[in-house]
Amino acid sequence: MRSHTIAICSAVAVCAAMCACSGNSTETKAQTDSVGVIDTNIVQNIPEYRLEDTLTVQGSLYTYSISFQNDKSAEVIRNTEGIRYYDNDVTLTIYRGNSDEVFFTHTFTKDSFRRYLPENQYKQFTLAGVNFNYMEQGHHDRFHFIAAVGDPDETLGITYSIAIDISKDKTISMHKIDNIDTAPISEGMCVDPGEDDA
């Protein structure tokens, strides 16, 4: 059975949370000098991570897997502070029950969300993360996720949140949102408490 491995507190602080939960790699440490100043000659990266958990949609159990990885083949971005970063992509896979039978899989990139971002800042942004959308955890009609796209320097707080809804017929719909909550209040929030509301 796949287990829940990580939770992210908010999409605004998603970069910081990913770094904290994933740990600091030696590559990341090597990119800053002794006083914490980032070397602009080195391309920075947001640590890669993987999330897994279960959820219930229309009375059926599913397991989702989110794999966040640096895309070193994509164009390197330069953020508002002039620091270079690798862009990222996220592969979302949904399995039936606790099995390895794939129900849905899709890889999202920053370009997947371009229509929801200000065009004059688009080149300075990166895909910062994707997680289960706990704001919609009580709605069991479809799969609800949330993406964070923005400046990779989380201290600047320039992040846009986009809801990703996937229907049982595998149709993807998206919209920009302001209210976010990507952390569970308690264990078992993904499990339908009763099949009657499905």
Side-chain angles (χ1 to χ4, degrees):
M1 180 176 184
R2 296 180 178 83
S3 61
H4 185 277
T5 58
I6 189 170
I8 302 173
C9 295
S10 75
V12 174
V14 72
C15 297
M18 302 295 183
C19 294
C21 294
S22 301
N24 292 326
S25 67
T26 27
E27 181 182 359
T28 303
K29 288 179 182 176
Q31 295 171 359
T32 59
D33 65 20
S34 59
V35 293
V37 177
I38 295 177
D39 184 349
T40 56
N41 295 314
I42 298 174
V43 180
Q44 310 297 307
N45 66 291
I46 297 175
E48 298 178 332
Y49 66 89
R50 185 179 176 90
L51 305 176
E52 294 183 335
D53 206 345
T54 57
L55 51 82
T56 301
V57 173
Q58 294 180 342
S60 298
L61 180 70
Y62 295 86
T63 300
Y64 69 81
S65 172
I66 296 172
S67 180
F68 176 89
Q69 54 267 328
N70 305 136
D71 184 358
K72 296 184 178 179
S73 66
E75 181 181 355
V76 171
I77 69 141
R78 188 179 295 273
N79 80 339
T80 53
E81 301 295 306
I83 300 167
R84 297 187 302 152
Y85 287 85
Y86 289 115
D87 208 340
N88 310 292
D89 60 49
V90 172
T91 299
L92 168 63
T93 304
I94 301 172
Y95 303 89
R96 294 185 189 277
N98 289 314
S99 72
D100 292 326
E101 181 187 349
V102 175
F103 167 76
F104 171 90
T105 188
H106 186 82
T107 299
F108 295 92
T109 64
K110 177 177 70 174
D111 195 53
S112 304
F113 310 102
R114 187 168 192 154
R115 63 181 292 193
Y116 307 102
L117 306 171
E119 193 61 36
N120 63 334
Q121 294 177 290
Y122 180 78
K123 289 189 175 181
Q124 299 169 324
F125 288 168
T126 185
L127 175 56
V130 171
N131 200 354
F132 180 74
N133 187 354
Y134 284 90
M135 285 291 287
E136 301 297 329
Q137 61 84 25
H139 300 163
H140 304 288
D141 59 330
R142 63 196 64 217
F143 305 90
H144 302 283
F145 297 92
I146 187 169
V149 184
D151 194 306
D153 183 347
E154 71 276 3
T155 63
L156 299 178
I158 306 171
T159 306
Y160 294 85
S161 301
I162 299 102
I164 305 169
D165 297 325
I166 303 162
S167 67
K168 286 287 288 287
D169 67 3
K170 306 177 187 179
T171 301
I172 301 172
S173 59
M174 296 187 283
H175 59 277
K176 193 161 76 170
I177 54 175
D178 296 318
N179 296 321
I180 55 160
D181 183 4
T182 58
I185 298 168
S186 63
E187 291 299 319
M189 291 288 280
C190 296
V191 180
D192 190 345
E195 303 299 289
D196 294 338
D197 65 344

